[in-house]
Amino acid sequence: MSHQQWIAQCIELAIDNASRGQAPFAALVVKDGSVLGEGVNDVKATNDLTGHAEVRALQAAARESGSRRLAGCVLYTSCEPCPMCLGAIYWSGITEVYYGLSIEGQAEFSDLPRRQYAEFRRAPRERSVHAVQVSPDGIDPRRPFLAE
């Protein structure tokens, strides 16, 4: 199948998901021309904030392949991935992503992903979410990594 055909399939899955009262997002992980994982956004149904289509497709592909490393796979998604999903894509090892609607196009319906990308371009001290490093007395925060 062509990239356009995979994206068309994602858009149809997203339409179906929206018709069931969920958010209009869908994604496919494809390897060697076959779907390894499929996902739709289920945040409303599960109250799981990580229930984005890309995350669900990556989880399904990891279960199917028996590995969290999905290098050599391609991710197709109905919309350009948000920062959370992009992070999961990087962790998976996937290096090829094709999407239908861009973040800019999606801003017509929801501006949150565009604002998130803008937020991450700011210096940490200028972001709306303040993350502060805390080192407990006498405990090296690297310790869990040294135990491996």
Side-chain angles (χ1 to χ4, degrees):
M1 286 178 55
S2 69
H3 298 308
Q4 292 83 1
Q5 290 169 312
W6 287 118
I7 292 298
Q9 188 172 338
C10 286
I11 292 169
E12 290 303 318
L13 287 168
I15 291 168
D16 181 60
N17 201 45
S19 74
R20 290 183 280 116
Q22 297 303 306
F25 302 98
L28 300 167
V29 175
V30 175
K31 182 161 181 127
D32 301 326
S34 296
V35 175
L36 189 61
E38 178 181 307
V40 293
N41 185 299
D42 64 5
V43 172
K44 291 178 183 178
T46 63
N47 287 321
D48 178 351
L49 300 174
T50 66
H52 289 201
E54 296 90 341
V55 170
R56 296 300 190 224
L58 292 169
Q59 290 170 334
R63 278 192 304 275
E64 180 66 23
S65 69
S67 174
R68 62 188 167 91
R69 300 299 300 159
L70 301 172
C73 294
V74 177
L75 183 107
Y76 293 94
T77 182
S78 56
C79 287
E80 185 175 359
C82 75
M84 177 186 70
C85 293
L86 188 59
I89 292 163
Y90 274 97
W91 280 106
S92 77
I94 289 176
T95 59
E96 240 181 301
V97 176
Y98 297 90
Y99 58 87
L101 187 64
S102 70
I103 292 291
E104 291 302 317
Q106 186 186 348
E108 180 181 343
F109 308 99
S110 170
D111 196 38
L112 182 58
R114 183 169 64 175
R115 286 186 287 126
Q116 287 173 328
Y117 273 110
E119 180 85 357
F120 292 139
R121 286 191 293 274
R122 296 172 145 195
R125 68 185 177 285
E126 296 173 1
R127 295 179 185 157
S128 61
V129 174
H130 301 280
V132 179
Q133 182 179 12
V134 176
S135 296
D137 291 335
I139 298 175
D140 183 350
R142 300 174 303 149
R143 190 168 156 201
F145 298 95
L146 300 172
E148 292 187 88

